[in-house]
Amino acid sequence: MMADPFEVRMRFTAQLQHLNASITSSQKAAHYALKYRDMDEDLHSCILEQLERNNMNNRANIMYFIEQFCEMATKEDHAPYVRMIQRDILRVVDAVAPPDGSGAANVKHVRRVLNGLQAKEILSAETVAEINAGLKDRETHPAHLDLEADEGVEAKAGTPRGSRGSVRVDKRQIEQRIEEDRERNKRLRESMWTVSGDDGDEHGKFWDETSDIGEDDFLAANEEFMERRQMVNAK
């Protein structure tokens, strides 16, 4: 019996909406998309739609999913998914870190994923360098989370405000982002510790060349975590 296209689309959309910082959630969604690869164009459109409709936390999670998805699609020899991501990478980046600066908190995540896609030979060095150059102007927003200061106005979680060029983030989203960033940073540090010997030297060289994360970033992240906690408690 053939799967109902509408049901497949709805289930995949739900998985994208509930992605988190864990690799497991990304792998589950990727497996699902690859299971229904005969609907690849339709499911790819789901990715773009969710990137443009959801809050900035979710967009960052989808960005990391894309890297995992491309890697799995390559291993399973399903090139169409990879080609569509390559074709629409600028649209993806614009959704995750918009030109208006409302997604400044996501710029570093976009860079990490772009570096990962380059390392996996999914994106060329030229493409990544060009996109990274354009991202410099998107880091000018003073806050890591774009919080509007409109007093007396509470925005609902998950409500996109892209048409106004800004995204309001409520207390729950702030706490979620803190925890997810901590989880990703923890995983990055663990990946550095688990490599030893000659491979470790090579890994270290690769890390220095491709990643913008260092000890100072972890110290800064801890300071940001404390500041955000104070901000949340003050609400």
Side-chain angles (χ1 to χ4, degrees):
M1 183 182 295
M2 292 184 62
D4 176 56
F6 178 76
E7 182 179 355
V8 171
R9 182 183 177 90
M10 292 301 293
R11 287 181 179 275
F12 184 56
T13 295
Q15 290 184 5
L16 292 175
Q17 291 173 340
H18 292 89
L19 287 171
N20 54 47
S22 73
I23 294 177
T24 303
S25 68
S26 290
Q27 289 177 335
K28 180 179 178 182
H31 277 302
Y32 189 84
L34 287 165
K35 178 180 179 180
Y36 296 102
R37 63 187 67 188
D38 57 319
M39 295 175 55
D40 51 16
E41 290 189 14
D42 197 27
L43 296 184
H44 176 75
S45 72
C46 288
I47 297 173
L48 298 179
E49 287 173 8
Q50 294 308 305
L51 277 171
E52 294 170 349
R53 292 180 180 178
N54 282 283
N55 63 59
M56 287 299 167
N57 287 358
N58 184 257
R59 297 183 197 194
N61 290 333
I62 295 176
M63 189 74 194
Y64 281 102
F65 157 76
I66 285 173
E67 181 181 358
Q68 185 80 36
F69 184 34
C70 286
E71 181 178 12
M72 292 173 63
T74 299
K75 289 180 179 178
E76 295 201 17
D77 197 26
H78 190 66
Y81 273 134
V82 177
R83 286 199 296 265
M84 285 185 279
I85 292 296
Q86 292 170 330
R87 179 194 68 199
D88 295 327
I89 190 62
L90 290 177
R91 183 176 173 183
V92 169
V93 171
D94 284 345
V96 182
D100 63 7
S102 61
N106 285 342
V107 171
K108 64 181 180 181
H109 299 298
V110 171
R111 285 203 174 105
R112 290 180 197 172
V113 172
L114 290 176
N115 288 336
L117 292 173
Q118 178 183 336
K120 295 176 176 64
E121 299 184 345
I122 292 166
L123 293 179
S124 68
E126 293 77 14
T127 297
V128 172
E130 183 179 348
I131 297 175
N132 276 330
L135 288 173
K136 291 181 180 179
D137 295 333
R138 306 185 188 190
E139 295 178 293
T140 57
H141 199 281
H144 280 272
L145 288 170
D146 188 28
L147 305 174
E148 288 192 355
D150 298 350
E151 293 189 3
V153 178
E154 276 288 329
K156 293 182 179 180
T159 302
R161 303 276 181 171
S163 60
R164 293 181 55 190
S166 62
V167 177
R168 290 179 183 153
V169 186
D170 67 6
K171 180 178 178 179
R172 183 191 64 79
Q173 289 184 39
I174 296 172
E175 293 178 332
Q176 177 187 348
R177 183 54 173 267
I178 292 170
E179 295 305 318
E180 290 182 345
D181 282 353
R182 289 180 68 195
E183 175 65 23
R184 291 192 182 100
N185 285 337
K186 177 183 176 183
R187 208 163 58 235
L188 284 169
R189 294 192 81 162
E190 289 175 347
S191 70
M192 294 172 68
W193 291 337
T194 54
V195 180
S196 59
D198 293 338
D199 291 339
D201 294 337
E202 183 178 350
H203 177 81
K205 180 180 179 182
F206 169 77
W207 184 267
D208 291 339
E209 292 175 348
T210 62
S211 177
D212 58 352
I213 298 298
E215 277 302 313
D216 291 341
D217 294 291
F218 290 114
L219 292 174
N222 186 60
E223 292 176 359
E224 288 173 15
F225 170 73
M226 298 305 296
E227 290 173 0
R228 290 181 189 175
R229 279 294 184 199
Q230 291 175 3
M231 178 174 61
V232 170
N233 293 335
K235 278 182 171 287

